[in-house]
Amino acid sequence: MQFSPFSGFGVIKIVLQFCKENSLNQTFQTLQNECQVSLHTVDSIETFVADINSGRWDSILPQVAQLKLPRNKLEDLYEQIVLEMIELRELDTARAILRQTQAMGVMKQEQPERYLRLEHLLVRTYFDPNEISCFNEFMSWIDDLSFFISAIAAEVSIVPPSRLMALIGQALKWQQHQGLLPPGTQFDLFRGTAAMKQDIDDTHPTTLSHTIKFGKKCHAEYARFSPDGQFLVSSSVDGFIEVWDYISGKLKKDLQYQADETFMMHDDPVLCVDFSRDSEMIASGSQDGKIKVWRIRTGQCLRRLERAHSQGVTSLVFSCDGSQLLSTSFDSTARIHGLKSGKLLKEFRGHASYVNDAIFTSDGIRVITASSDCTVKVWDVKTTDCLQTFKPPPTLRGGDASVNSVHLFPKNTDHIIVCNKTSSIYIMTLQGQVVKSFSSGKKEGGDFVAACVTKR
């Protein structure tokens, strides 16, 4: 169960305010009754108190009908109104309040003497102010009307108008600030999606947005976006892991630990990082074979795997549920680690050289590895048996090439994308058959070194 920083009652109150402001009175009453949550707000406390003082009951009564005042205060308030209506000889109004309101109906059942005195005043043909003194024993406010008004006012509060629309507006501005919603984009609130333009032929990026510079004696080893698009993380040869605002190209200083210049880091060069599916955690692997898991919003190190591998860690990937971590290494192995226990759970041995990359299949029952021995291997997670070994097609120059990375193909989970150190990238089946290939079109200097896949 995920922690929510706000209560369900607060959400209901915001919806109640929306209903009230848009005159959805039946919906307001139904929601208030079913949820047993009251809005308890007025547009202005000062106006509310002034209306009571001045006896503007035509304004007060509709507001009181939407409040859930304590019964004794509600009875006192209605009693005051009835007495003033009798004094003004507005007998029909006094009669309607006395005989048709729920509060006075309860008074009739539980305080019949008090109720009958009001009925007696109502049927009299004249009004005698001295008779009000007989209500002293019932009406606690008779000696200090201002105290009673203050007691009624204390039961209500004032909030800014249109809170629901204001919160939605703030959420959309935040998404725009994070680059998740381009300015001017129409947003479907019900579906929670932005209107997308019709798909057009894919084109490669042509405009440089920002350049992130590192020191003269430092260079980046790896960079990765979080699944939710909020964070761009880099790891570098000096052991630092930094989180960037990709819109400005500067460090994210809204992360307090970075503002304080306290960074996530290793003692050795950090060769790879990966995000958990919910974008809350990152894992980092270093040249000395160590793995660390961090909470990105606080920079806290949640788990250290001091002997994850005997040599440098080349890639990392979280399992779908975030409970396990798949790693590869220069030590020619791929391993699965339990994040809760910190223990090695599975090891996949069989490659003759560095293992550069590994992924889980979408069902989580197989692991696919890419190696500098020019092969791709498919493994059974449960038994660690190698189910399949294959090579991408040979290069135009002849001979095999190191396989840099493998990726799941979003449109068909039985296919993978294989990137090796050649001028072509392949979509292949898990049995090693080529489905489609993409070429850089260059005979010289066109070898691919890395690849990534969009979600569409």
Side-chain angles (χ1 to χ4, degrees), residues 268 286-291 305-314 327-335 337 344 347 349:
D268 282 62
S286 58
Q287 181 72 51
D288 56 3
K290 296 179 181 179
I291 293 174
L305 306 179
E306 298 289 344
R307 293 181 293 276
H309 287 276
S310 60
Q311 296 183 42
V313 182
T314 54
S327 64
T328 61
S329 171
F330 289 132
D331 65 11
S332 304
T333 68
R335 294 176 175 177
H337 313 268
L344 173 63
E347 182 179 71
R349 284 188 174 273

Side-chain angles (χ1 to χ4, degrees), residues 17-70:
Q17 184 195 48
F18 178 82
C19 294
K20 177 183 176 182
E21 291 176 342
N22 290 273
S23 301
L24 303 174
N25 299 323
Q26 186 174 353
T27 304
F28 179 95
Q29 290 296 341
T30 301
L31 182 61
Q32 190 166 249
N33 293 336
E34 287 188 358
C35 298
Q36 294 298 301
V37 176
S38 302
L39 188 57
H40 278 304
T41 63
V42 293
D43 296 332
S44 167
I45 293 288
E46 293 77 12
T47 303
F48 184 72
V49 170
D51 285 345
I52 295 178
N53 266 319
S54 304
R56 289 191 285 269
W57 305 117
D58 56 333
S59 173
I60 289 296
L61 283 174
Q63 296 182 68
V64 169
Q66 295 180 339
L67 300 173
K68 290 287 185 180
L69 296 176

Side-chain angles (χ1 to χ4, degrees), residues 91-108:
L91 300 181
D92 290 340
T93 302
R95 188 178 295 108
I97 295 173
L98 182 62
R99 298 177 181 177
Q100 297 177 20
T101 57
Q102 183 178 2
M104 303 309 280
V106 173
M107 179 191 289
K108 182 178 181 181

